[in-house]
Amino acid sequence: MIELYIDGASAGNPGLSGAGIFVKNGHNSLQYSIPLDEMTNHEAEYEAFIIGLEKCLPYKDQIISCKTDSQAVYAAVEKRFIKNRKYAHYLPKMTQLLDQFDLFFIKWIPGKENAVADKLAREAIYKQKKKS
């Protein structure tokens, strides 16, 4: 089973943003700290989820267990629907990626259980601020 932890963060709302992706495959893990454009926190969460799915495509024939502290992302995946029209444009890409996985599960977790992905998302913002 592959465990995928995702988090998006924004320094301001909107502001410089980052995605944190943590993929655990048994004793092996991959960590990604990805700078994003200026966007809201919700947009960063959706972007992080899409990037996380893309990073897991090589494992699409395995069980993927995704963990997020974003209730919006969790609800969007569970219902295959995004209530807020402002973010609805993310749904087609999410659905297209989700449909490629044999078994995909998502679970909402409290932020304190998502510390690695959160740290990676914040590092991505810091990298951008440091360049400026």
Side-chain angles (χ1 to χ4, degrees):
M1 178 172 62
I2 306 298
E3 292 180 83
L4 169 64
Y5 293 81
I6 57 116
D7 199 19
S10 181
N13 210 12
L16 289 177
S17 299
I21 314 296
F22 177 50
V23 181
K24 280 177 64 176
N25 182 3
H27 295 293
N28 300 317
S29 66
L30 300 168
Q31 297 184 16
Y32 303 93
S33 180
I34 301 164
L36 301 172
D37 294 331
E38 189 170 298
M39 60 184 62
T40 67
N41 189 60
H42 283 307
E43 290 170 315
E45 295 281 6
Y46 285 115
E47 292 282 341
F49 179 68
I50 289 168
I51 294 166
L53 290 177
E54 291 170 343
K55 298 293 184 189
C56 285
L57 281 174
Y59 312 110
K60 64 185 177 183
D61 59 338
Q62 297 183 44
I63 298 170
I64 308 292
S65 174
C66 179
K67 313 249 183 10
T68 179
D69 59 12
S70 169
Q71 292 182 356
V73 169
Y74 170 77
V77 173
E78 283 292 297
K79 297 174 184 176
R80 298 271 178 134
F81 177 77
I82 296 177
K83 185 176 180 178
N84 189 328
R85 288 186 191 160
K86 183 176 178 180
Y87 310 117
H89 67 279
Y90 288 107
L91 191 61
K93 181 66 173 176
M94 290 169 56
T95 303
Q96 183 263 332
L97 286 164
L98 285 166
D99 288 347
Q100 294 184 54
F101 292 93
D102 288 345
L103 285 170
F104 182 91
F105 301 96
I106 190 165
K107 180 180 179 182
W108 178 86
I109 58 173
K112 65 184 178 193
E113 293 178 26
N114 205 20
V116 175
D118 178 68
K119 179 179 175 242
L120 292 166
R122 293 184 189 287
E123 283 176 6
I125 295 169
Y126 177 74
K127 287 178 198 173
Q128 291 181 78
K129 286 183 174 182
K130 196 173 167 182
K131 282 185 177 179
S132 299

